[in-house]
Amino acid sequence: MADSVTVVGAGPAGSFSAYLLAKRGLDVQVFEEHATIGEPVACTGVITGDILSRRLQLPKELIVNRIAKARIIAPGMELIEIKLKNDIIIDRAGFDRHIAAMAREAGARFFVNHRFEGFEHNNQRIVAAVKDKEKNEIKKIETTYLIGADGPISTVAKAAGLFGSREFYTGIQATIRFANDNAIDFYPSEDGIAWVVPENERIARVGIAARREASSYFRRFITAVAGEGYEKRIIGWQAGPIPLYSPRLKSATKDGKILLAGDAAAMVKATTLGGINQSLMAAEAAAESITKDYGYEMLWKKRMGRDLWLSLLMRKAMERFSNKDYDKLVGVFRKKKNRQLLEEYDRDEPTRFALKLLLGEPRLLMLARKVLF
Ligand SMILES: Cc1cc2nc3c(=O)[nH]c(=O)nc-3n(C[C@H](O)[C@H](O)[C@H](O)COP(=O)(O)OP(=O)(O)OC[C@H]3O[C@@H](n4cnc5c(N)ncnc54)[C@H](O)[C@@H]3O)c2cc1C
């Protein structure tokens, strides 16, 4: 019997894997538990364009905004401004549907309203149990490979014994009518990270991500930036768990037949908690691993392992920062030479600038000691 691939989840990791594998001639089917691909949205949709544009051509209508400037605002309200080269805000639901359409065109079959529930083995084959939610019946799907691209609470990871022990942030965001100057504002603090990301000069995505007490932090933050009565100006909500990367997690079974990609494997950059680009890189590694029989973990770690690990170290240090430390950190970037490093390099690739920054700036070394002690 020819090799077949079953993908669970039609987010960027799942649909991009399906696209790459179908393009290489494999028999691919994708199961998505929701009725509409891309919905509900749990994302701000900020992407640095370089990694994305090397992989995908986005239709213009999916780019909601292009941003040329960000501010990082310390708890004491000192701020720095950074020029952005290639940051875009996407229509996240449209983005997911676009990649799914590419995969369909390449020959992958999609089944919405189908929830993966578990699997068993039959000789060398995997037999996945998928529930057709409309008909309320379980289908048995025989497959050679199973890709778990089913997001942070991955059922595939749990069923394959790969879930391990994971840590999460909770992300809460509202899209709100809010006059702004079309710059992204980031607010790092003891409470977590908060942001204002404009769709245009009248509408912004305002949110927070926190380890604990996310709802009260969100209410405090949105009241502070948008004012009392903000509720009446809310257009939509987006929320969800965000996994913290862990180098200890396994992303594939020993036989290499079950792979986890994207949030399902906690491939999220812990500094900014972004994972869209990472899910695309994971999909590439999954497709290469399946078609060329290379080790999956080695392939994705080569692309982004060091960056994910370094981002995690930075996040762990920041979790021990007091608000005064954040003030000092922002102070460090008031120096033009330090700010230029942030402007020059892609946030997804901190290994390219972190060492330069640390060695050139003794105050950062003092703050970084929090990782060590
Ligand atoms: C509030 C918030 C803001 C964020 N902002 C950004 C940002 O600005 N930039 C960025 O890069 N990242 C951001 N992220 C992270 C980003 O959304 C994820 O990293 C990205 O969606 C990961 O893609 P994925 O394909 O791995 O998983 P997902 O996008 O989560 O897709 C998983 C899919 O699997 C489906 N599924 C789940 N379980 C099953 C099942 N049992 N059976 C069938 N289907 C199933 C789901 O319905 C979903 O469609 C944000 C996250 C949150 C919560």
Side-chain angles (χ1 to χ4, degrees):
M1 198 182 282
D3 279 354
S4 56
V5 184
T6 294
V7 180
V8 181
S15 292
F16 199 51
S17 303
Y19 163 70
L20 295 170
L21 287 161
K23 212 170 64 161
R24 292 173 198 182
L26 274 88
D27 172 26
V28 183
Q29 45 189 339
V30 183
F31 294 98
E32 165 56 50
E33 71 170 334
H34 289 106
T36 307
I37 291 174
E39 290 173 20
V41 171
C43 188
T44 312
V46 182
I47 318 193
T48 53
D50 286 350
I51 289 178
L52 182 74
S53 59
R54 276 182 246 135
R55 287 161 177 87
L56 285 179
Q57 278 303 321
L58 268 196
K60 274 205 299 283
E61 61 274 18
L62 295 183
I63 302 177
V64 174
N65 202 354
R66 291 181 187 276
I67 307 279
K69 185 169 80 179
R71 286 178 288 256
I72 302 178
I73 301 160
M77 297 315 273
E78 181 164 14
L79 64 84
I80 52 160
E81 275 189 12
I82 298 168
K83 285 189 217 120
L84 300 177
K85 276 191 297 198
N86 202 3
D87 277 60
I88 55 173
I89 314 302
I90 56 167
D91 162 358
R92 177 58 206 270
F95 178 76
D96 287 18
R97 288 196 278 271
H98 174 67
I99 306 176
M102 285 166 51
R104 254 195 216 104
E105 186 129 317
R109 289 168 292 140
F110 279 72
F111 301 86
V112 294
N113 258 327
H114 279 66
R115 186 172 61 229
F116 169 88
E117 303 213 318
F119 73 91
E120 55 197 23
H121 278 111
N122 182 8
N123 296 326
Q124 295 297 325
R125 310 268 295 169
I126 297 162
V127 184
V130 176
K131 184 171 189 172
D132 179 336
K133 289 164 66 183
E134 260 168 51
K135 294 191 179 144
N136 199 23
E137 67 184 33
I138 300 280
K139 295 178 180 169
K140 299 279 182 171
I141 313 292
E142 229 182 273
T143 184
T144 325
Y145 294 95
L146 179 64
I147 299 182
D150 49 343
I153 313 297
S154 175
T155 310
V156 176
K158 288 179 184 162
L162 298 170
F163 200 77
S165 143
R166 300 182 180 212
E167 297 175 62
F168 294 91
Y169 272 64
T170 301
I172 305 179
Q173 176 180 279
T175 304
I176 180 170
R177 282 191 292 279
F178 178 74
N180 66 79
D181 65 352
N182 211 41
I184 293 181
D185 286 335
F186 286 116
Y187 295 79
S189 76
E190 281 170 10
D191 295 321
I193 320 176
W195 60 85
V196 176
V197 171
E199 286 188 5
N200 53 48
E201 288 178 355
R202 297 169 315 282
I203 295 176
R205 302 173 182 176
V206 176
I208 61 98
R211 281 264 203 191
R212 58 193 82 81
E213 296 170 24
S215 304
S216 58
Y217 175 31
F218 173 76
R219 278 194 301 275
R220 276 199 314 281
F221 177 68
I222 196 165
T223 308
V225 294
E228 295 288 348
Y230 67 85
E231 294 91 340
K232 293 190 205 89
R233 288 179 278 132
I234 288 178
I235 302 165
W237 289 96
Q238 303 82 32
I242 307 174
L244 258 198
Y245 174 67
S246 163
R248 286 192 305 275
L249 291 177
K250 290 268 163 267
S251 56
T253 48
K254 282 208 182 84
D255 61 4
K257 302 286 191 216
I258 303 179
L259 316 178
L260 303 177
D263 275 20
M267 293 167 178
V268 169
K269 199 174 17 123
T271 40
T272 60
L273 303 177
I276 301 173
N277 278 333
Q278 288 64 25
S279 67
L280 300 179
M281 290 191 269
E284 278 177 345
E288 210 175 324
S289 165
I290 288 173
T291 50
K292 298 191 180 149
D293 206 18
Y294 292 158
Y296 174 57
E297 204 140 305
M298 181 268 292
L299 285 170
W300 72 256
K301 283 201 166 152
K302 201 164 130 198
R303 283 173 171 79
M304 59 177 158
R306 285 194 319 151
D307 286 313
L308 286 175
W309 174 78
L310 188 58
S311 300
L312 178 69
L313 274 191
M314 291 174 173
R315 164 71 36 216
K316 290 284 177 193
M318 288 191 281
E319 282 183 348
R320 297 165 82 174
F321 277 14
S322 63
N323 278 345
K324 284 218 167 84
D325 290 329
Y326 276 110
D327 290 340
K328 282 186 207 150
L329 184 67
V330 168
V332 166
F333 288 100
R334 291 195 73 80
K335 243 194 211 171
K336 196 168 169 204
K337 135 176 125 88
N338 294 337
R339 227 172 36 242
Q340 275 170 341
L341 281 174
L342 284 188
E343 290 174 345
E344 202 176 320
Y345 292 101
D346 196 316
R347 288 192 301 280
D348 282 318
E349 298 169 329
T351 40
R352 298 181 63 201
F353 64 86
L355 191 62
K356 245 186 218 172
L357 200 56
L358 267 182
L359 293 179
E361 186 50 73
R363 282 180 297 167
L364 267 184
L365 275 174
M366 289 299 286
L367 286 169
R369 81 189 189 287
K370 297 216 168 199
V371 187
L372 305 170
F373 305 110

